[in-house]
Amino acid sequence: MNAPFLWGAQSKVGNYNLKDNQTTKFDPLVWRRIYLPTFMFKGEPKVEQVNNLIVIHLPIQFRNQLDIGAYPYPFWHSSKKWNSYQQSTELLLFIEQKKLKGALRSAVVDSQRPVVNHVWDGSWVWNDAHGKKQPYVTLYTRLFSPSNPHVAKVDAAYRAFEVNLRQHACIVCHSPDNAAKQNPLLLLSYPNQALSLRHETVRQIKEKRMPPPTGIVNEQERQKLLELAQTFAQAGDQALAYEGEKITSSQVHSNN
């Protein structure tokens, strides 16, 4: 799988260009363990050659009756997105040069499929009746193996980084509602989804691009956020490497 891995909804039937469709960047492990399990699979896949792409049409049924904490975030904040998940009939997988580059929910829909309605209360994260953080699937304890010795470290690093990101309003642009209209969208508001951006944030803070247009004005605050970003990136590398995920030399270099 390509890293980062692109995921989103097909804009119209027959559009197989990932760049023409609204997508979000993910670490491949996050997509496999958090997004892919929200679907059931039945029937034979169809393989199609489109120019230099191999497109796999995989029949799906969305699992719309899961506990709400089992979804990566409240998809129902947008009825259009929620219906896209519930009514899409195929998962489109894109392979180029022997790498799985991304996936889309097909624009081919079945409007007769049973739907479940949820009302969004405006909260991206919440605590359940037992005081546990939700959505629980976004937590590193859910993403990584129980034996992974780096989980506590990467969790602490993300929490410290995320607190400072909020102070500089970074989460406003990097949330699921995509207020900044990014394409692809880069998420920082959830622990597991922030992994795909862990090295990019280091680079952008170094180059004074984050937050736009000229970065953090106060140099002391900028250096503090940079150090927190570097610590998070390094901890993320260690946790992912333990899981057998490939950490490229370019990713390691960006931490130095």
Side-chain angles (χ1 to χ4, degrees), residues 22-40:
Q22 183 68 49
T23 59
T24 301
K25 284 185 177 181
F26 289 103
D27 181 272
L29 180 69
V30 173
W31 187 79
R32 292 199 310 270
R33 292 196 177 174
I34 308 301
Y35 279 78
L36 197 56
T38 63
F39 296 98
M40 297 181 289

Side-chain angles (χ1 to χ4, degrees), residues 7-65:
W7 166 243
Q10 187 182 31
S11 59
K12 61 181 179 180
V13 177
N15 186 347
Y16 295 145
N17 189 339
L18 282 169
K19 293 181 180 179
D20 290 343
N21 294 279
Q22 183 68 49
T23 59
T24 301
K25 284 185 177 181
F26 289 103
D27 181 272
L29 180 69
V30 173
W31 187 79
R32 292 199 310 270
R33 292 196 177 174
I34 308 301
Y35 279 78
L36 197 56
T38 63
F39 296 98
M40 297 181 289
F41 306 90
K42 182 181 180 180
E44 292 297 319
K46 182 181 75 173
V47 180
E48 181 181 6
Q49 183 81 40
V50 183
N51 298 322
N52 61 334
L53 281 178
I54 295 174
V55 182
I56 300 175
H57 299 250
L58 196 61
I60 57 169
Q61 175 73 52
F62 182 62
R63 302 171 67 192
N64 60 359
Q65 297 184 51

Side-chain angles (χ1 to χ4, degrees), residues 194-211:
L195 284 171
S196 66
L197 198 53
R198 66 190 187 280
H199 296 284
E200 181 64 14
T201 51
V202 172
R203 184 184 70 83
Q204 292 206 16
I205 295 169
K206 275 185 177 180
E207 297 176 1
K208 299 184 179 181
R209 297 187 179 201
M210 182 178 176

Side-chain angles (χ1 to χ4, degrees), residues 98-168:
K98 299 183 179 181
K99 273 200 170 184
L100 188 58
K101 297 176 67 71
L104 297 174
R105 301 183 301 282
S106 172
V108 179
V109 300
D110 178 3
S111 60
Q112 300 304 309
R113 289 190 171 184
V115 297
V116 172
N117 294 315
H118 291 302
V119 177
W120 188 48
D121 65 0
S123 299
W124 296 114
V125 295
W126 65 94
N127 290 332
D128 64 15
H130 303 287
K132 294 183 178 180
K133 292 185 180 298
Q134 300 290 344
Y136 66 85
V137 295
T138 67
L139 304 177
Y140 293 126
T141 51
R142 176 77 178 191
L143 176 67
F144 295 119
S145 304
S147 60
N148 193 320
H150 307 289
V151 172
K153 181 179 179 181
V154 71
D155 185 70
Y158 170 75
R159 298 297 172 188
F161 181 43
E162 191 262 353
V163 167
N164 276 265
L165 285 173
R166 290 189 180 278
Q167 292 177 5
H168 298 288

